[in-house]
Amino acid sequence: MIYVTGDLHGHIDKSKLNTKNFPEQRNLTKKDYVIICGDFGLVWNNSKQELYWRKWLDNKNFRTLFCDGNHENFELLNQYPVTEWNGGKIHKISNSIIHLMRGQVFTIDGLKFFTMGGAVSVDKESRIRGISWWEAEVPNYTEYEEGLSNLERNNWQVDYIITHTCSSDILNWISKIFGFQPKPDDSVNKYLDVIQKNSRYQHHYFGHFHEDINIDDKHTLVYEKIIRIK
């Protein structure tokens, strides 16, 4: 089984994955997965607290997969060796925690997933470069191009799209329909417009905006909910 949820923010939102809030995990195994839609945040400073919670997560019945968000320590994350898993590039954080890298297509339980992490931090002015903010939060040209090439190799058809942020189209729609001001449009949003318009897919899950909203029958903003992919 495969589940999808929103930002973890390190230990801050870890409670969504405890047995009280996610009782289904009692029946899962390491052949089952929970996918975090960015801002994983447990590869931040390798503190004793962080290592404790990584071990806590590693000991869960399921395996944790995540795309990166904008609040990650990319300098530390990118120190992990790049390997291949299920058709795409990953950083293997531990035996049960895997970073799904940008612009990749993975086959998991017979389903194809396209992943693209990253977004612009609106609070970057209050953060410190190299300590709490990194330029790598925004994908570079190579990552964008790799994503397009991988989709082209798959005839622009996948089952699911997993990202941190959403397309410009969805961003504007959220603002008009739900009445809250989303984060500013950036290059990742424009890139995801291209993906959205050219790809065939069942559903797109994304985080970043700290809300749980079913946008339409193909797009879901997820934060606290843990959704089973059927």
Side-chain angles (χ1 to χ4, degrees):
M1 289 182 280
I2 303 173
Y3 294 83
V4 177
T5 190
D7 310 18
L8 199 62
H9 301 124
H11 69 279
I12 297 173
D13 288 317
K14 66 183 184 302
S15 62
K16 74 177 74 174
L17 295 178
N18 64 28
T19 51
K20 178 181 178 181
N21 294 316
F22 183 37
E24 294 89 344
Q25 66 184 279
R26 293 189 178 97
N27 299 317
L28 301 183
T29 72
K30 290 298 185 181
K31 293 183 179 179
D32 300 305
Y33 305 92
V34 173
I35 303 175
I36 311 293
C37 292
D39 280 3
F40 176 67
L42 276 177
V43 183
W44 188 260
N45 57 16
N46 283 337
S47 65
K48 288 184 179 180
Q49 182 187 48
E50 179 173 288
L51 295 176
Y52 172 87
W53 290 114
R54 282 219 299 260
K55 185 177 181 180
W56 174 84
L57 192 58
D58 208 28
N59 287 335
K60 291 289 185 180
N61 290 345
F62 54 85
R63 299 178 80 184
T64 301
L65 313 177
F66 71 96
C67 72
D68 54 88
N70 51 300
H71 291 157
E72 316 281 3
N73 182 337
F74 291 96
E75 183 176 340
L76 186 57
L77 186 60
N78 290 329
Q79 288 179 16
Y80 287 86
V82 176
T83 58
E84 187 170 308
W85 178 80
N86 288 18
K89 295 177 182 177
I90 65 164
H91 291 123
K92 186 176 181 182
I93 309 304
S94 68
N95 287 333
S96 294
I97 303 175
I98 294 174
H99 172 219
L100 306 175
M101 295 179 68
R102 297 169 175 175
Q104 305 301 306
V105 175
F106 300 92
T107 301
I108 307 172
D109 284 354
L111 299 171
K112 288 188 177 182
F113 291 78
F114 173 76
T115 58
M116 178 55 73
V120 172
S121 294
V122 295
D123 60 349
K124 64 182 180 182
E125 298 301 326
S126 63
R127 292 174 174 265
I128 302 172
R129 183 188 298 268
I131 296 177
S132 57
W133 177 81
W134 290 264
E135 289 182 353
E137 67 177 20
V138 178
N140 58 40
Y141 177 81
T142 300
E143 291 167 331
Y144 283 144
E145 284 296 303
E146 187 169 2
L148 298 178
S149 297
N150 284 329
L151 282 170
E152 188 172 358
R153 275 196 290 271
N154 284 275
N155 298 314
W156 290 87
Q157 184 168 357
V158 294
D159 294 292
Y160 295 96
I161 295 176
I162 303 292
T163 64
H164 185 50
T165 188
C166 62
S167 67
S168 298
D169 181 57
I170 295 294
L171 195 67
N172 294 329
W173 192 87
I174 290 173
S175 178
K176 290 177 182 178
I177 300 299
F178 291 98
F180 72 87
Q181 180 60 44
K183 299 178 182 182
D185 189 38
D186 59 48
S187 66
V188 194
N189 305 124
K190 294 179 176 66
Y191 177 83
L192 292 175
D193 270 332
V194 176
I195 303 302
Q196 183 175 304
K197 291 174 183 176
N198 290 281
S199 301
R200 289 171 290 169
Y201 55 96
Q202 293 184 38
H203 212 90
H204 175 193
Y205 294 97
F206 61 97
H208 194 38
F209 302 105
H210 299 185
E211 297 282 349
D212 288 283
I213 299 174
N214 289 318
I215 307 298
D216 54 33
D217 60 354
K218 294 192 71 171
H219 302 90
T220 297
L221 164 58
V222 61
Y223 180 39
E224 294 181 339
K225 289 184 177 179
I226 302 175
I227 301 170
R228 181 181 172 185
I229 289 179
K230 298 181 180 179

